[in-house]
Amino acid sequence: MNLKLLSPLIVFLVLLMFSCDSSSDPEVEPDMQTYDDEVVNVDESNPIINVEGLGDVLESKSTITVSLQDESSVLTKIEVNGEEIFESSQKNFEFVLNPYSIPVGDGTVRVLAEDEFGNTAELSFAIEIKHFLMNFNLSVEEFSNFEFIWVFFNDLEGNLLSTKKLEQGSNMIYTDEVFAGETLYYTVSKYQLLGGGQTKNVRTTTYNITPAQTRYELTNFPSFSLDNYVQINVNRIVDDNGFSIFSASGSGYDTFTFGGGSFLTIVGVSFDNPKNIFLRTDVIGGTPALYDGKKEGYVYKKIEPSLSTPTLEIDEVDLIPAQENVRLDIPEHMPGSFVFTRVGFENQESMLANINHEIMEVQEPNDQYRDYIDLPILQELDLYNNTINYFINGKSFFAFLYGNDLDVEMPEWETSYRIENGQILVTASADADYHVARLYKDDFSDINNQRSFIWDYRTFGGTAEEQVALILEFPEEVKESFGDAFFTNTQDLDLTAVSSLDFAQFNTYEDTIRWLAVLEDTNLTIDQRSYRSVGFLPPTQTGKGGSNTKIETKKIRQ
C-alpha cells in the first residue's frame, strides 16, 4: 500500500475541527479566574494567629506580641471581657495590656483576625485580673527605727486605692479598685518616738509614680548602743577655766560630757566599738568667739579607744593641724545664716556603709560674718562629704557635696507656688531635677509631749510648666493608729517652702525619684550623691505668686 503525505490544507482542517470541540477546553485551576487575560488569587484559608507574653495572671501592664500568617491583608482586634481595646492592620505588632482599667477577677482576652476575603480566626485566653501596686521590702534596721510605718495609694483624683501597715520583710500591696492614668500617688508615713516618748515625729512623703514597683530595703541605718565610755583629759597650754574647745563625734561615738578645770579640758565620749575616734576643734572652739573655720584654729588627733582604758591623758600639743587645706569662698549671704559641716570616710567601703567621722563644724553668729573657710584634709581619711547652708534674698541654699572642689553659688532658679482648691500649684525652673513642697507644723509647748509633723510632696518634675498636686488626707486606719488629733488634722498644716533640687547623677524627675524612693537597688558612689537645693519662702513672704499657703484638703473617697 502506498502512503501519501497529507496536504497542508487537510492538516489545517483537522486541527480546526478539534479546536471547536468544547469537551477539549483546557481545565481552569480552581483558585484562578480570568478576566480579560488578568489572573487574580482567591485566598480561602484562615489567618494563623500567634500570641506571646500573655500568662494566666495579669497583674501589671504587660507587652503582648501578636504575629499573623496570611496571604492577604489582615485586620486584628483585641477584646477583653467583650470590649474592644485595640486593633491593628499590621501582621506583626505589640500592644500594652493594662489590667488597672479592668475589674479584678476572672476575665477573657480574645484575639480576632479577618483577612480581606472574609476568612477569620480567633484565639481566646482565660486570665485572672489583679491590680499590683508595690512590693515594699522593709529591712530590720528601718523597721526598728520607727514605731510603725504606713503606706497608702491614691489615684490622681485622690480616690483611695489601698492602705497597708508595713511589717518587716516583703509587703505585697494590691488594690481591687479600677483607676485610669499612667501614674498614681504613693505615700509613706513613718511614726517615731524619741526620748522615751516625750518627742513624737511623723514624717510623710508623697511621690508620683507608675504602679507595679518594687521598693527595696533600706539598709543604711547603722544602729549603735554607745554603752561604752572613755574620758579624754587634754592638758591645756592656756588656762581657760575648763572651757572645752574639743569634741568627738561620728558613726558609733559621740561627745557625752564636757568639763575640766585649770589647764584641763575633759571630753567624755560614749562609744559602741569604733576602730578610731577623731578628737578635733569643736564648733565653739574659737573661744570666746565660735570657731571661724580657718586653718589656724583647727587641730585634731586620731584615738583608738579601748575598753581596758577608760581614761586617756593627752597634751594639747598632741593635736595637730590638718596636713592639707582647701580654701572655700563663701558667697554673699545674710549674716548669721551660714552653717557648714564636714565628715570624712576612710575609704569607699566605709562611705557606702555610712561609717563616717565628723571632722568640722562651722556656724555663724550675726556679728561674725564668714567670708571663707579652710577645708581640712586629713591623711587618715580619703573621702569627704560636706553640707552647706545659707540664706539670702528670700532664698535658702543647701548643698550636699562630696569632695573638696565645691560649687556653693546660689543657682539662678525661680519658683512660684500657691494653694488653690485643695491643690498645690508650682511653677519652677526647668534646670532642677525635681521640686518638693513641704507642709509642716509643730507643737513644743509641752516639754513632755513635743510633736512635729512634716508632709513632703515630691511630685513635681523638672519642667517650666505649672504642675499640680492634690493635697491628700490620711486614710481612717492611719488616723486611728496615731491616736492624736495633732497628727490626724491636716487642715492646719502650713506650706512652709518649695525647694528645687538638682542631683549630679540624674537628669530627669523619674530617675531622681526612683533613687530617692528606693525603687531601684542601687548604691551610688561618692561622686554621684551630690546635689544642690534652693528653698523658696511662701509667697506671702517673697511677694511672688498667690497669697494662700494654708491647707484646704478636698474631701475624697476613702
Side-chain angles (χ1 to χ4, degrees):
M1 177 179 175
N2 294 327
L3 296 177
K4 296 183 179 179
L5 295 175
L6 295 177
S7 68
L9 177 60
I10 295 174
V11 172
F12 173 76
L13 292 174
V14 171
L15 292 175
L16 181 62
M17 180 185 64
F18 280 99
S19 66
C20 293
D21 187 354
S22 60
S23 64
S24 62
D25 286 345
E27 185 177 1
V28 178
E29 293 294 326
D31 289 341
M32 305 286 288
Q33 293 179 346
T34 59
Y35 300 98
D36 298 330
D37 297 328
E38 180 182 356
V39 178
V40 179
N41 289 321
V42 177
D43 181 5
E44 294 182 352
S45 61
N46 295 327
I48 299 175
I49 307 172
N50 183 59
V51 177
E52 296 180 357
L54 188 59
D56 295 333
V57 178
L58 181 67
E59 63 179 22
S60 63
K61 289 184 178 181
S62 299
T63 299
I64 310 302
T65 302
V66 177
S67 59
L68 296 107
Q69 298 178 31
D70 197 87
E71 295 299 325
S72 61
S73 60
V74 182
L75 179 64
T76 306
K77 297 181 179 181
I78 312 295
E79 292 182 356
V80 177
N81 295 339
E83 180 179 351
E84 182 180 327
I85 63 170
F86 186 85
E87 74 172 34
S88 175
S89 59
Q90 303 295 317
K91 290 185 178 180
N92 297 282
F93 63 88
E94 293 181 343
F95 74 98
V96 176
L97 187 52
N98 178 13
Y100 303 107
S101 60
I102 307 169
V104 298
D106 295 334
T108 302
V109 176
R110 297 174 68 209
V111 182
L112 308 168
E114 181 177 357
D115 68 17
E116 63 177 294
F117 294 105
N119 303 307
T120 62
E122 174 184 334
L123 288 182
S124 183
F125 303 87
I127 61 172
E128 180 184 3
I129 300 293
K130 302 173 75 174
H131 296 162
F132 173 56
L133 299 178
M134 177 176 285
N135 177 13
F136 193 111
N137 293 279
L138 189 61
S139 67
V140 174
E141 294 92 338
E142 185 177 8
F143 181 73
S144 61
N145 272 269
F146 301 95
E147 293 300 304
F148 50 77
I149 302 175
W150 285 92
V151 293
F152 55 94
F153 298 81
N154 302 77
D155 65 18
L156 297 188
E157 298 298 320
N159 299 309
L160 185 64
L161 302 176
S162 184
T163 306
K164 186 173 182 61
K165 186 177 182 180
L166 298 179
E167 300 176 352
Q168 191 269 316
S170 173
N171 296 263
M172 300 294 290
I173 305 169
Y174 292 84
T175 180
D176 289 338
E177 303 295 331
V178 172
F179 63 93
E182 296 295 317
T183 62
L184 46 74
Y185 291 126
Y186 151 59
T187 303
V188 56
S189 187
K190 302 178 179 181
Y191 182 75
Q192 187 177 45
L193 296 179
L194 300 172
Q198 292 180 319
T199 301
K200 304 171 184 176
N201 301 320
V202 169
R203 178 67 182 268
T204 304
T205 306
T206 296
Y207 304 90
N208 187 340
I209 65 170
T210 57
Q213 300 279 1
T214 296
R215 196 277 196 177
Y216 292 89
E217 286 190 350
L218 271 178
T219 56
N220 57 340
F221 280 84
S223 180
F224 305 103
S225 61
L226 304 187
D227 292 334
N228 306 308
Y229 182 83
V230 59
Q231 177 176 305
I232 305 172
N233 297 331
V234 183
N235 299 311
R236 300 292 308 280
I237 299 174
V238 178
D239 185 2
D240 59 4
N241 296 316
F243 190 85
S244 179
I245 65 169
F246 305 115
S247 64
S249 57
S251 298
Y253 65 97
D254 199 4
T255 299
F256 184 70
T257 59
F258 289 109
S262 179
F263 293 96
L264 177 66
T265 289
I266 298 175
V267 181
V269 179
S270 298
F271 66 95
D272 191 338
N273 191 26
K275 180 180 178 182
N276 298 309
I277 287 175
F278 281 78
L279 184 70
R280 44 84 179 179
T281 301
D282 187 64
V283 64
I284 61 174
T287 181
L290 296 184
Y291 169 52
D292 61 3
K294 305 296 192 296
K295 60 185 178 182
E296 292 78 9
Y298 183 85
V299 290
Y300 82 99
K301 181 176 177 58
K302 184 183 76 171
I303 297 172
E304 298 181 7
S306 173
L307 297 178
S308 61
T309 309
T311 303
L312 293 175
E313 292 278 345
I314 63 174
D315 296 326
E316 185 175 357
V317 295
D318 295 331
L319 284 85
I320 61 175
Q323 287 74 36
E324 296 181 55
N325 293 275
V326 175
R327 175 174 170 136
L328 176 65
D329 291 313
I330 305 168
E332 181 182 357
H333 58 279
M334 186 179 75
S337 68
F338 175 76
V339 178
F340 182 88
T341 61
R342 182 171 171 87
V343 303
F345 305 90
E346 295 183 14
N347 49 47
Q348 182 84 355
E349 182 180 353
S350 63
M351 188 280 301
L352 291 174
N354 200 24
I355 305 299
N356 63 70
H357 305 275
E358 297 182 16
I359 63 169
M360 184 183 192
E361 182 180 1
V362 181
Q363 296 184 12
E364 180 186 71
N366 292 336
D367 58 349
Q368 296 179 31
Y369 190 83
R370 313 296 191 205
D371 54 355
Y372 79 93
I373 59 175
D374 294 308
L375 308 182
I377 299 177
L378 312 185
Q379 61 185 4
E380 297 90 349
L381 303 175
D382 290 341
L383 306 171
Y384 298 90
N385 170 50
N386 311 272
T387 62
I388 181 172
N389 193 195
Y390 62 83
F391 185 88
I392 187 171
N393 297 332
K395 300 178 184 179
S396 65
F397 176 84
F398 179 84
F400 187 83
L401 302 173
Y402 282 87
N404 302 312
D405 184 14
L406 311 181
D407 179 7
V408 297
E409 293 291 335
M410 177 76 75
E412 296 181 358
W413 301 341
E414 293 298 334
T415 296
S416 62
Y417 55 93
R418 67 188 188 279
I419 289 179
E420 186 175 289
N421 297 325
Q423 298 175 321
I424 305 172
L425 298 95
V426 174
T427 303
S429 171
D431 295 328
D433 294 325
Y434 86 102
H435 316 279
V436 55
R438 169 159 292 186
L439 311 181
Y440 178 79
K441 67 176 178 177
D442 60 47
D443 182 359
F444 299 136
S445 59
D446 183 352
I447 193 173
N448 294 314
N449 188 26
Q450 301 189 29
R451 297 166 292 178
S452 67
F453 181 7
I454 294 173
W455 195 324
D456 284 339
Y457 282 79
R458 292 179 173 176
T459 59
F460 306 97
T463 174
E465 299 177 355
E466 184 175 70
Q467 300 177 75
V468 178
L470 184 67
I471 299 174
L472 304 172
E473 291 184 335
F474 283 127
E476 291 301 323
E477 296 173 79
V478 180
K479 291 181 180 181
E480 293 174 4
S481 68
F482 289 141
D484 188 334
F486 177 83
F487 297 116
T488 59
N489 179 19
T490 59
Q491 301 293 324
D492 55 353
L493 285 168
D494 286 318
L495 178 54
T496 58
V498 167
S499 298
S500 301
L501 293 89
D502 185 66
F503 282 78
Q505 174 67 8
F506 306 113
N507 295 314
T508 66
Y509 169 82
E510 291 77 13
D511 290 343
T512 305
I513 292 302
R514 285 190 61 79
W515 182 69
L516 288 172
V518 205
L519 301 181
E520 59 182 30
D521 190 16
T522 302
N523 270 332
L524 297 185
T525 57
I526 190 169
D527 57 337
Q528 296 174 326
R529 296 194 178 195
S530 297
Y531 73 88
R532 297 179 301 159
S533 170
V534 177
F536 299 85
L537 288 178
T540 52
Q541 299 183 43
T542 64
K544 296 183 180 181
S547 59
N548 184 18
T549 58
K550 277 292 184 182
I551 307 306
E552 297 176 0
T553 54
K554 277 187 176 180
K555 293 299 180 182
I556 56 177
R557 173 171 60 83
Q558 293 194 354

